[in-house]
Amino acid sequence: MAANPTAPTALWPAPHARGAVDATVHVPGSKSVTNRALVLAALASEPGWLRRPLRSRDTLLMADALRAMGVGIDETVSSSSSVAGGPDGSGEAWRVLPAGLRGPATVDVGNAGTVMRFLPPVATLAEGDIRFDGDPRSYERPLHGVIDALRALGARIDDDGRGALPLTVHGSGALDGGPVSIDASSSSQFVSALLLSGPRFNQGVEVRHIGASLPSLPHIRMTVDMLRAVGAQVDTPESGGEPNVWRVTPGALLGRDLTIEPDLSNAQPFLAAALVTGGRVVVPGWPHRTTQPGDRLREIFTEMGGSCELTEYGLEFTGSGRIHGIDVDLGDVGELTPGVAAVAALADTPSTLRGVGHLRMHETDRLAALTKEINELGGDVTETADGLRIRPRPLHGGVFHTYEDHRMATAGAIIGLAVADVQIENVATTAKTMPDFPDLWTGMLGSDGA
């Protein structure tokens, strides 16, 4: 009997491609957009809809957390979405019914950065105590930027001085808000967390980043765009404001009918499959304008040997049969690093991935994990202060450990396309953002997969 791929200790034989892939892959909705949309809808002054939301561990944790604080979220099936997906254009929809936020409540953040960072500011607006707890790894992830900022803005928070989980927010139903300075160099989510709730603070919020280089700026732009779409007034460096300063004016938020874009970062392994096998993959619904960092895959993977065409239907990506190394700064798109590293390990020239030192504090220490796992398959990867150097070497099979990190699992699957006998430990960790990954992966390969 085959091993159960959903068991945490199970080894999943990564399918080995026997030829060039040729597939259309419907990528589920964006986690980053879904969780921001849930927060904004919960804080709105009227009900709203989220159509084609991602249903994954991270988004269900967010929805359950908001429910625990009194928000109504009704899950249904709608036929009014215009985004291609089901055969009749229908898809899942969530109706969000804002209500008076209240405690006491306990929130399980799992290991979701968006939940652990976006919801403490929301909890300050609740009447009562909101306790936050999560997976053991969540205790190690930085949260001090949000905690210290909320205290400076008038919140009462008990964290026993850790600057991390577990913690309790003593909500009073309101927060003064105003100006605050933070060091968000370890996570741009610190800035997004304060901006998302800022319209509901009495004085709004002015967030000033005072640390080193700020990673993942596209995610802050996503937050700003989504705030503006629900009626918030936001001043940013890009709109003529001060560098590293974001201001949100207090005011009511509108309920919206929002269709969630496909998760472009989760499209990465499928585009990589076209690159690695010299094949073709089409991702329907790829937006022509987006703030998702994953859109940069078009540039990165083209430089590594592929070509792409963005049509009205979606993105068509084609591999050339050769993979080239790359020297690239991934500071704004750090979540793409594991997939880029996996492709780089199969390239014909060396690669340097820069600007991603902050990945040491993600779901796992991604730089150390990638170095260890690729090298144990015969690779030659060296950590630098802010990234990785990768020298291609002939790889061999073996166990690719994931450290409960979804992007480590998909990186291993990419390598497995070109290297026989790679086994992925705990591929079920992909449920964090893409629950159907094993089925989507084998479906993409069709008869060409082992």
Side-chain angles (χ1 to χ4, degrees):
M1 181 180 294
N4 176 9
T6 65
T9 58
L11 297 179
W12 183 63
H16 184 57
R18 296 196 181 106
V21 302
D22 187 358
T24 296
V25 180
H26 291 271
V27 177
S30 165
K31 176 204 74 174
S32 297
V33 175
T34 299
N35 274 358
R36 283 166 173 77
L38 280 169
V39 171
L40 291 173
L43 295 176
S45 58
E46 57 191 351
W49 283 97
L50 274 64
R51 303 189 190 276
R52 299 196 181 286
L54 174 67
R55 175 178 284 276
S56 72
R57 188 187 185 212
D58 278 17
T59 60
L60 293 176
L61 285 168
M62 179 67 84
D64 287 345
L66 291 169
R67 287 187 182 107
M69 287 189 273
V71 177
I73 303 176
D74 297 333
E75 301 174 20
T76 183
V77 174
S78 168
S79 59
S80 60
S81 173
S82 60
V83 174
D88 61 353
S90 65
E92 185 171 0
W94 293 352
R95 179 72 161 165
V96 182
L97 305 167
L101 299 169
R102 63 180 184 273
T106 297
V107 168
D108 176 12
V109 309
N111 191 19
T114 52
V115 182
M116 71 179 71
R117 292 166 182 149
F118 291 178
L119 289 189
V122 176
T124 67
L125 303 171
E127 292 279 2
D129 293 350
I130 311 294
R131 177 171 172 77
F132 291 84
D133 208 339
D135 297 352
R137 172 64 180 173
S138 71
Y139 293 6
E140 303 172 26
R141 300 186 66 181
L143 195 54
H144 55 86
V146 175
I147 295 171
D148 293 346
L150 291 176
R151 284 186 176 132
L153 295 173
R156 291 177 52 228
I157 301 175
D158 289 339
D159 68 336
D160 292 333
R162 290 182 299 271
L165 292 170
L167 60 86
T168 298
V169 176
H170 300 288
S172 61
L175 191 70
D176 287 341
V180 66
S181 296
I182 64 171
D183 180 353
S185 56
S186 59
S187 177
S188 68
Q189 289 177 353
F190 294 170
V191 175
S192 288
L194 297 169
L195 298 183
L196 286 168
S197 291
R200 289 286 304 274
F201 298 163
N202 294 337
Q203 302 174 41
V205 71
E206 176 187 286
V207 182
R208 184 180 300 270
H209 167 61
I210 58 172
S213 178
L214 188 61
S216 303
L217 276 170
H219 278 117
I220 297 179
R221 296 188 190 109
M222 176 188 293
T223 299
V224 169
D225 277 7
M226 293 184 69
L227 276 161
R228 287 173 172 163
V230 295
Q233 181 179 328
V234 189
D235 296 324
T236 71
E238 293 84 2
S239 61
E242 295 179 62
N244 292 324
V245 177
W246 293 263
R247 295 185 181 90
V248 180
T249 301
L253 299 178
L254 306 175
R256 277 202 62 197
D257 191 324
L258 176 67
T259 298
I260 307 297
E261 298 172 352
D263 194 313
L264 306 188
S265 295
N266 276 347
Q268 182 181 37
F270 304 101
L271 302 185
L275 189 57
V276 168
T277 68
R280 170 182 169 273
V281 167
V282 176
V283 179
W286 194 288
H288 285 250
R289 178 189 177 277
T290 182
T291 52
Q292 287 193 61
D295 193 45
R296 198 171 161 207
L297 285 167
R298 294 189 288 152
E299 169 197 335
I300 294 169
F301 280 172
T302 296
E303 186 174 343
M304 297 186 81
S307 62
C308 66
E309 180 182 4
L310 187 56
T311 69
E312 290 301 313
Y313 181 69
L315 181 71
E316 179 177 332
F317 188 86
T318 306
S320 63
R322 295 190 62 187
I323 306 171
H324 308 308
I326 190 170
D327 186 332
V328 62
D329 188 329
L330 298 174
D332 279 352
V333 291
E335 64 197 52
L336 303 181
T337 301
V340 174
V343 173
L346 304 170
D348 54 15
T349 54
S351 296
T352 300
L353 313 184
R354 295 177 281 107
V356 288
H358 60 285
L359 295 187
R360 293 187 170 95
M361 293 306 295
H362 273 228
E363 280 81 347
T364 187
D365 180 340
R366 284 180 171 165
L367 301 185
L370 287 164
T371 300
K372 178 178 181 294
E373 297 310 314
I374 295 174
N375 286 350
E376 288 193 353
L377 299 183
D380 184 356
V381 182
T382 304
E383 277 193 68
T384 66
D386 73 337
L388 299 171
R389 289 196 182 96
I390 303 171
R391 301 169 185 84
R393 295 285 187 271
L395 302 182
H396 55 72
V399 175
F400 195 93
H401 299 91
T402 61
Y403 309 89
E404 299 184 4
D405 185 335
H406 56 131
R407 301 209 190 276
M408 286 296 296
T410 54
I414 292 168
I415 293 172
L417 289 172
V419 179
D421 301 321
V422 172
Q423 298 183 83
I424 311 297
E425 175 212 42
N426 188 18
V427 73
T429 195
T430 54
K432 177 178 172 67
T433 59
M434 193 163 36
D436 298 328
F437 174 74
D439 289 340
L440 287 169
W441 194 247
T442 55
M444 171 194 68
L445 290 169
S447 60
D448 291 330

